[in-house]
Amino acid sequence: MNIKDITVGIVTFKSEKVIFRCLKSLENIKKIIILDNSNDLILKEKIKKVFLENSDGPLNVGLNTILMDSLLKTLFKTSYFKIVNNYNYNFSLIAVGGYGRGELAPHSDIDILFLLPNKLNKVELEKIENVIQLILYVLWDLGYSVGHSSRTVKDSIKKTKSDITIATALLERRFVIGNEEVYLLLNDKFDLYVNNSKTLDFVEAKLKESELRHLSFGSSRYVVEPNVKNGKGGLRDLHTLIWISKFVYKVDTVSRLINIGGLLKREAFLFADAQRFLISVRCHLHYRASREDDRLAMDAQLDISKSMNFKNRITQKDVERFMKRYFLATKIVGNLTRIFCADIETKFKKPLRINFLSFKKTQKFPPFNIEIGRLTVKNKQIFTENPNNIIKIFNISHFNNIDIHPKTLRILTSLIKLINFEVREDILANKMFLDILTSEKDCSRTIRLMNESNVLGRFIPEFQKIVGLMQFDMYHSYTAVSYTHLRAHETDSYL
């Protein structure tokens, strides 16, 4: 099936065939009956068929967005003319949230804002309310779940200042149809709000929000039945990075983020790869359940692994290979989060997260430095000239209770190939690593950090084979790596 044909069909989709019966007066709006929405259903089925053939999540959510845009535009025009009897729009319909971002999963809520001008007389306001009611009733009758709000520009900015959720939603705003001048006024006012806001307050609030959400969904990205959207390392964490980039760097594309140094090209590719995979998994979940479902339960894992063409191997089942791919994607998200935090800390010269490790600023740990209360390096030559320093920095961090700066972890991740056979056989490198394992301090945090930065798997190749590995049965709640971290922690508690 030709994707272009489907896209053209969606763009030119006209819902005049959606006929309203029993609309004798505004009081009869609740009796709206939709006689024909066959075009909508046919195009939805075409989109679904294409997705099940190629498992391309970004394409699927993009086509769903285009379809919804087309439906809302025609519905807005029809409803407005029916009530007001002209096309001189005095308010706007704005897409926000995931729909505004262009990431509309098959059964996601449709998040929209009806944006009103600041000054309206009583008659105008009554007509606008009737138009909005009519639009919403039709959407509900079509079976859509709609998250909606109606605000003036002034009220939108006022609520934005007191509610970070509304501020976040407006970061994803996108004009669909209506009075564009009202939308442009909101743009100007919102940009002014962002420019005058304390950037770090927003960033810290979103990171705190993420931490609380992680607690609600298992606190680990390696649970056997993860939540694709809200779990640790899931789509919501990627969305958080997008929101932070928009608020801090005032950019709305990955290419611009690369140009200003927020992400390296290699990291941008990793971001896109993780996002593509996670979105694809979420779309499969929605189609499988015929509703919004973001929990990757064990029965869903079996079905989706086959749908995404994962094959059995001698040593691994298809579902175990699928879940390993999932956990590697969530690990990438965690690494990218640290990178973002590091860049923002460098920009504002202030740590974003509370540092639970104690240290003395006057202490020196050559060849490393202290920056914003964390271990860092002047340049990567410290590692390239002596790869043993990669192990040494974790040793110093562990025994001196000093955190490693995310910027340094970023460098480490890009240089893990320096850990070769010679480093693995080096007596000093092995001694420093064994000292961490056998110390009286709890080594689980250091081991976890070494794993997240890919150092542990490189230093111990056998460990790399179990990263993201899970055993598909009802008796294991975490992956093999998570159990290793837990055992390390428990062992220390016995000593």
Side-chain angles (χ1 to χ4, degrees):
M1 186 175 294
N2 193 320
I3 301 295
K4 182 178 180 181
D5 292 341
I6 293 175
T7 307
V8 171
I10 294 170
V11 173
T12 59
F13 167 56
K14 300 296 181 182
S15 59
E16 277 82 356
K17 289 186 178 181
V18 179
I19 303 170
F20 307 120
R21 189 175 63 190
C22 302
L23 186 59
K24 297 179 180 179
S25 64
L26 294 178
E27 287 74 19
N28 290 328
I29 289 178
K30 288 186 178 180
K31 297 180 180 179
I32 293 173
I33 297 175
I34 298 160
L35 296 178
D36 183 12
N37 66 322
S38 58
N39 280 357
D40 183 28
L41 294 174
I42 290 171
L43 289 170
K44 279 185 178 180
E45 286 302 313
K46 287 183 177 179
I47 293 172
K48 179 179 178 180
K49 183 178 180 181
V50 169
F51 173 74
L52 294 179
E53 290 173 354
N54 60 22
S55 292
D56 191 337
L59 175 64
N60 182 265
V61 297
L63 291 176
N64 288 332
T65 301
I66 295 172
L67 177 59
M68 182 51 59
D69 281 356
S70 183
L71 174 61
L72 286 177
K73 286 176 182 178
T74 303
L75 183 55
F76 188 97
K77 291 177 184 177
T78 306
S79 302
Y80 195 93
F81 188 79
K82 185 71 180 181
I83 304 299
V84 184
N85 203 32
N86 63 55
Y87 292 112
N88 299 320
Y89 307 133
N90 58 356
F91 74 103
S92 300
L93 192 157
I94 310 300
V96 294
Y99 172 43
R101 189 170 55 248
E103 193 177 305
L104 189 60
H107 294 282
S108 289
D109 291 350
I110 314 300
D111 297 322
I112 53 178
L113 165 66
F114 295 103
L115 186 64
L116 283 56
N118 291 324
K119 294 182 179 179
L120 287 171
N121 59 47
K122 188 176 181 180
V123 175
E124 289 174 329
L125 183 59
E126 183 179 353
K127 288 183 177 180
I128 288 177
E129 288 176 350
N130 290 331
V131 174
I132 292 173
Q133 285 180 352
L134 183 53
I135 291 171
L136 290 176
Y137 282 130
V138 174
L139 290 174
W140 290 332
D141 285 343
L142 282 170
Y144 291 106
S145 178
V146 185
H148 63 92
S149 58
S150 303
R151 301 190 191 97
T152 63
V153 174
K154 184 178 180 180
D155 191 38
S156 295
I157 299 302
K158 181 180 178 180
K159 289 184 179 298
T160 292
K161 294 177 180 179
S162 60
D163 191 334
I164 193 171
T165 302
I166 295 175
T168 304
L170 287 180
L171 281 172
E172 313 268 34
R173 68 195 180 280
R174 181 171 56 83
F175 179 79
V176 178
I177 189 172
N179 188 313
E180 196 165 2
E181 290 183 2
V182 176
Y183 174 72
L184 293 176
L185 178 61
L186 175 67
N187 270 355
D188 292 340
K189 296 293 184 182
F190 187 79
D191 289 344
L192 184 62
Y193 155 74
V194 172
N195 291 332
N196 292 334
S197 297
K198 293 182 179 179
T199 304
L200 284 183
D201 288 349
F202 176 85
V203 176
E204 289 173 341
K206 297 312 293 184
L207 293 177
K208 181 63 176 177
E209 186 181 272
S210 295
E211 290 173 1
L212 294 175
R213 174 168 40 80
H214 294 160
L215 289 174
S216 301
F217 289 91
S219 298
S220 171
R221 64 176 58 94
Y222 299 116
V223 294
V224 171
E225 290 189 330
N227 187 291
V228 176
K229 179 182 177 182
N230 293 308
K232 190 171 185 179
L235 281 168
R236 187 58 82 207
D237 284 353
L238 279 178
H239 299 158
T240 300
L241 297 184
I242 294 172
W243 298 330
I244 290 174
S245 68
K246 288 184 176 183
F247 205 95
V248 175
Y249 301 108
K250 315 298 186 293
V251 299
D252 52 9
T253 64
V254 175
S255 59
R256 290 187 62 190
L257 192 60
I258 293 172
N259 290 339
I260 64 172
L263 281 180
L264 303 177
K265 283 186 178 181
R266 178 181 60 84
E267 294 161 350
F269 281 122
L270 290 173
F271 181 101
D273 184 61
Q275 184 183 46
R276 175 180 292 275
F277 182 80
L278 294 174
I279 289 176
S280 299
V281 172
R282 190 182 186 214
C283 289
H284 272 295
L285 283 169
H286 282 209
Y287 281 130
R288 179 181 177 276
S290 297
R291 60 179 174 81
E292 185 171 11
D293 180 19
D294 299 320
R295 180 169 169 265
L296 195 52
M298 298 190 78
D299 55 343
Q301 294 171 20
L302 281 169
D303 294 339
I304 296 174
S305 63
K306 291 178 174 58
S307 298
M308 297 187 73
N309 294 319
F310 282 84
K311 305 298 182 183
N312 286 317
R313 287 185 177 175
I314 296 175
T315 57
Q316 271 187 302
K317 299 176 183 177
D318 52 358
V319 64
E320 292 172 346
R321 294 185 62 222
F322 164 69
M323 289 306 296
K324 182 170 184 175
R325 175 69 179 84
Y326 174 84
F327 291 128
L328 290 176
T330 60
K331 182 182 175 184
I332 289 171
V333 175
N335 291 339
L336 290 173
T337 301
R338 281 198 300 272
I339 289 168
F340 255 64
C341 291
D343 202 66
I344 294 169
E345 287 178 347
T346 301
K347 182 180 177 68
F348 292 96
K349 302 298 181 183
K350 180 181 177 182
L352 287 171
R353 296 175 184 268
I354 298 174
N355 186 3
F356 295 100
L357 302 180
S358 60
F359 64 95
K360 297 179 180 179
K361 289 186 178 180
T362 55
Q363 285 183 292
K364 295 183 179 181
F365 304 95
F368 309 112
N369 303 314
I370 298 293
E371 181 181 319
I372 320 180
R374 296 171 181 177
L375 281 171
T376 186
V377 291
K378 288 183 178 180
N379 51 58
K380 64 181 181 180
Q381 278 70 34
I382 289 175
F383 296 122
T384 56
E385 292 175 0
N386 185 3
N388 281 0
N389 284 332
I390 296 177
I391 307 299
K392 184 177 181 178
I393 195 170
F394 288 100
N395 182 281
I396 291 175
S397 170
H398 177 75
F399 284 101
N400 295 277
N401 291 336
I402 307 176
D403 210 351
I404 301 175
H405 197 289
K407 182 176 66 175
T408 305
L409 291 174
R410 183 184 197 178
I411 296 173
L412 284 173
T413 303
S414 67
L415 297 175
I416 57 169
K417 289 185 178 180
L418 292 174
I419 304 177
N420 52 23
F421 178 80
E422 292 181 0
V423 175
R424 287 192 285 267
E425 294 296 315
D426 187 87
I427 295 175
L428 179 59
N430 278 275
K431 182 181 183 305
M432 289 188 291
F433 179 70
L434 287 173
D435 285 345
I436 294 173
L437 289 180
T438 58
S439 71
E440 294 182 357
K441 298 177 180 290
D442 183 358
C443 69
S444 60
R445 184 182 181 280
T446 304
I447 295 299
R448 183 177 289 108
L449 190 60
M450 291 180 75
N451 175 47
E452 294 295 331
S453 56
N454 297 323
V455 171
L456 187 58
R458 189 74 182 182
F459 190 65
I460 306 176
E462 293 79 8
F463 188 86
Q464 184 61 38
K465 295 177 182 179
I466 68 168
V467 173
L469 181 65
M470 53 87 76
Q471 186 171 339
F472 189 76
D473 57 39
M474 296 299 294
Y475 305 102
H476 295 84
S477 300
Y478 299 95
T479 63
V481 168
S482 293
Y483 277 117
T484 302
H485 293 160
L486 289 170
R487 294 292 75 79
H489 175 71
E490 291 298 325
T491 301
D492 278 316
S493 68
Y494 296 142
L495 298 177

